Every structure is written in structure tokens, then in C-alpha cells.
């Protein structure tokens, strides 16, 4: 135990913090972590948003998509245009969701950092 304390006692605290930060950037996911903390239900400036419009909210297998949008508001605007084109401007028959930052595919289905409306 004394050897361990002596080993770490030789380093100063700022250097240990710097090493921890460097390791986090090398092995962690800093963009995702910061986005989860600051933009919980919105897209961070570097993230893309996918819009999914479902013309019939009872049948989620039928949908239209707009991909790589710049913000959740762009998603909502895109969905509004799709709904109007389908004769449902108030979204009374349809539904939608905005997928923020596609992380991976799982069985052909996109996994997003967060989805919102």
C-alpha cells in the first residue's frame, strides 16, 4: 500500500486529471456524453436528425423518412410537410418521431442516441 501511495504521490493532481481526460477522449465517447448532458432532447450542433412520419398511427410499418436533417425543428417542419402532402396537416391520423444521431443498426433497425417529438 505504501508503494502505491508513493507512486501516485509522485504525480501532481493536474497531471492525473489530464491523463484521465486524455484516456476518456481516446477510449470514451465524448461527443455522446456531452450531448446527453447538454442536449438531452435536442440535437447537438454536430448531430444529424432523421424524421419518421407514420401516415397511420395504428400501422407503424408504413412510414416516410427524411434523413440527415440539422435539427429537431427541421424534423418537425419536414414531418409537417409530409403530413400535409398526405392530407393530414394536423396529424390527427398520423404520428411521427425524430431520431437524433443514429449510432448503429441492430437487426436492420436504426438505434439513436435519443428519439423525441
Amino acid at each position: 500500500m505504501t508503494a502505491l501511495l508513493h507512486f501516485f504521490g509522485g504525480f501532481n493532481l493536474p497531471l492525473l486529471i489530464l491523463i484521465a481526460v486524455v484516456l476518456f477522449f481516446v477510449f470514451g465517447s465524448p461527443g455522446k456524453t456531452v450531448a446527453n448532458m447538454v442536449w438531452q432532447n435536442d440535437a447537438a450542433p454536430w448531430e444529424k436528425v432523421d424524421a419518421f412520419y407514420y401516415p397511420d398511427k395504428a400501422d407503424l410499418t408504413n412510414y416516410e423518412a427524411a434523413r440527415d436533417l440539422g435539427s429537431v425543428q427541421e424534423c418537425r417542419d419536414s414531418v409537417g410537410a409530409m403530413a400535409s402532402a398526405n392530407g393530414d396537416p394536423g396529424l390527427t391520423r398520423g404520428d411521427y418521431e425524430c431520431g437524433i444521431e443514429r449510432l448503429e443498426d441492430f437487426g436492420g433497425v436504426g438505434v439513436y442516441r435519443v428519439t423525441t417529438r
Side-chain angles (χ1 to χ4, degrees), residues 28-41:
S29 180
K32 181 180 168 187
T33 301
V34 170
N36 282 335
M37 288 188 306
V38 179
W39 294 277
Q40 294 173 355
N41 289 314

Side-chain angles (χ1 to χ4, degrees), residues 14 64 69 81 85 99 103 115:
E64 297 176 31
L69 303 172
L103 300 174
T115 57

